[in-house]
Amino acid sequence: MPSPSSARPNALARKAVIPVAGMGTRFLPATKAVPKELLPVVDRPALQYIVEEAARAGLPEVLMVTGRNKSAIEDHFDRTPELETALGVKGDEDRLAAVHESTDVAQVFFVRQGEAKGLGHAVLQAAAFVGDEPFAVLLGDDIIDARDLLLEQMLAVQAEHGGAVIALLDVGAENISKYGAVAVEEAKVSGDAAGDDVFRVTGLVEKPPADEAPSSLAIIGRYVLPPEVFAAIRETPPGRGGEIQLTDALLKLVEDGVPVHGVVFSGRRYDTGDKLDYLKAVVRLAVERADLGPQFGPWLKDFVADLPAEGASPA
Ligand code: G1P
């Protein structure tokens, strides 16, 4: 008799993969000893938002693809008996709950990438963990607002159409060279008040010069991928930057006739990838927080009102 899982006509994604092996050079010297994924966004590491997003979307098993100097990430998602006992003895329930948040949110597994040979290579390290099912990949630089159900919608599109689903954002022609860029069919596959527009993807290119980009639609860091992507990655030669690019493997899927869809995200995204965006993300998320916003918002307004006019030197 077939097992319940093999009887499913279209297996649903249950696992998430989060590559965290990057060196974080844009945040030096802060990232000399602290992984960039653990830099706090208000009061929790950027990476914790990503794990919470995966768990919320129904992906409770999370694999992190790590590298050297990343052991603090394992510590963050591990229990801390001494700290928990100390907080318990003090009766500090709020802080105890905050400590538990990082361990209770999902079941977190780790694999080491060994060599940093690109995002495609990082995702390939998840092959044994993923097996023969679709799965999600979440990149750490983008935090998606908890009220915007991007990953949920992507999982629904994948369940309906199969193949791969990527999150897209129109970043404008001036920014496209920093991203994977895509070409899409003109007609929407779907899109209504209840969800973001969905298009069939016809081409992808990793970080093209602006004048060679197929559109200003950029891949942002969310993917739902079929297990066939592993074979495609194995066949993908090093591309831009000499690295094995996930974007190139996705182009291979398109060429092989595997459906690849893009969901054009219209919600709130907090980019933590470079210093300026990181600062903006911290401020925006702090203003939104019920415990901080009521005090921080009015202070921020006064602060901004007192800023010298552009071009004037500070008092
Ligand atoms: C990676 C991908 C790129 C994508 C980007 C999104 O690039 O290779 O296609 O647009 O993530 O953040 P990275 O930012 O790691 O250089």
Side-chain angles (χ1 to χ4, degrees):
M1 209 172 109
S3 71
S5 72
S6 66
R8 278 182 299 169
N10 203 357
L12 297 178
R14 293 180 302 126
K15 294 176 179 172
V17 174
I18 306 181
V20 292
M23 284 196 288
T25 48
R26 280 182 280 189
F27 285 89
L28 283 169
T31 47
K32 259 182 89 181
V34 178
K36 71 165 177 171
E37 296 80 7
L38 292 187
L39 295 181
V41 177
V42 187
D43 57 0
R44 64 191 59 205
L47 184 54
Q48 195 170 323
Y49 291 86
I50 312 293
V51 175
E52 284 169 4
E53 180 189 337
R56 260 196 322 271
L59 309 172
E61 288 177 44
V62 174
L63 178 74
M64 297 198 184
V65 184
T66 72
R68 271 177 290 287
N69 301 327
K70 297 283 180 167
S71 50
I73 293 179
E74 293 184 38
D75 292 340
H76 179 75
F77 290 97
D78 195 3
R79 298 289 301 272
T80 44
E82 300 83 2
L83 178 61
E84 290 169 36
T85 306
L87 291 170
V89 168
K90 278 205 264 174
D92 195 340
E93 296 302 326
D94 288 350
R95 292 200 173 93
L96 190 56
V99 166
H100 276 293
E101 270 175 26
S102 58
T103 47
D104 296 351
V105 63
Q107 198 178 2
V108 183
F109 300 85
F110 296 90
V111 65
R112 300 255 303 222
Q113 192 179 356
E115 281 176 280
K117 294 206 288 195
L119 180 58
H121 180 256
V123 170
L124 187 57
Q125 311 311 308
F129 168 79
V130 165
D132 196 24
E133 296 173 9
F135 64 104
V137 174
L138 294 85
L139 305 187
D141 283 348
D142 283 311
I143 294 174
I144 302 295
D145 194 287
R147 294 162 291 185
D148 295 323
L149 307 181
L150 172 63
L151 193 53
E152 285 85 344
Q153 190 185 352
M154 293 173 69
L155 290 164
V157 172
Q158 205 280 336
E160 186 181 348
H161 298 282
V165 183
I166 55 183
L168 300 175
L169 187 72
D170 194 330
V171 295
E174 66 282 14
N175 292 312
I176 195 68
S177 62
K178 292 188 277 182
Y179 296 89
V182 304
V184 296
E185 278 178 2
E186 209 167 305
K188 281 186 224 174
V189 175
S190 63
D192 51 39
D196 290 333
D197 289 349
V198 181
F199 292 90
R200 177 98 181 218
V201 173
T202 56
L204 304 94
V205 47
E206 179 67 9
K207 304 199 176 91
D211 56 355
E212 289 171 27
S215 76
S216 53
L217 286 176
I219 306 171
I220 52 170
R222 300 292 180 275
Y223 309 73
V224 183
L225 301 173
E228 293 80 36
V229 77
F230 296 120
I233 296 170
R234 286 191 189 98
E235 290 168 25
T236 299
R240 182 154 299 274
E243 298 190 334
I244 298 169
Q245 298 292 351
L246 183 58
T247 305
D248 296 343
L250 290 171
L251 176 61
K252 179 144 198 355
L253 292 184
V254 170
E255 289 168 349
D256 289 349
V258 175
V260 177
H261 288 89
V263 175
V264 183
F265 184 53
S266 61
R268 287 151 286 201
R269 160 193 181 237
Y270 310 94
D271 185 355
T272 61
D274 69 26
K275 278 182 252 191
L276 186 59
D277 288 328
Y278 173 83
L279 285 174
K280 292 178 193 170
V282 172
V283 170
R284 288 171 63 200
L285 281 159
V287 168
E288 295 280 347
R289 283 268 296 254
D291 57 341
L292 295 168
Q295 282 173 287
F296 184 53
W299 175 85
L300 190 60
K301 274 191 188 153
D302 289 346
F303 179 76
V304 171
D306 288 346
L307 279 180
E310 217 173 311
S313 43

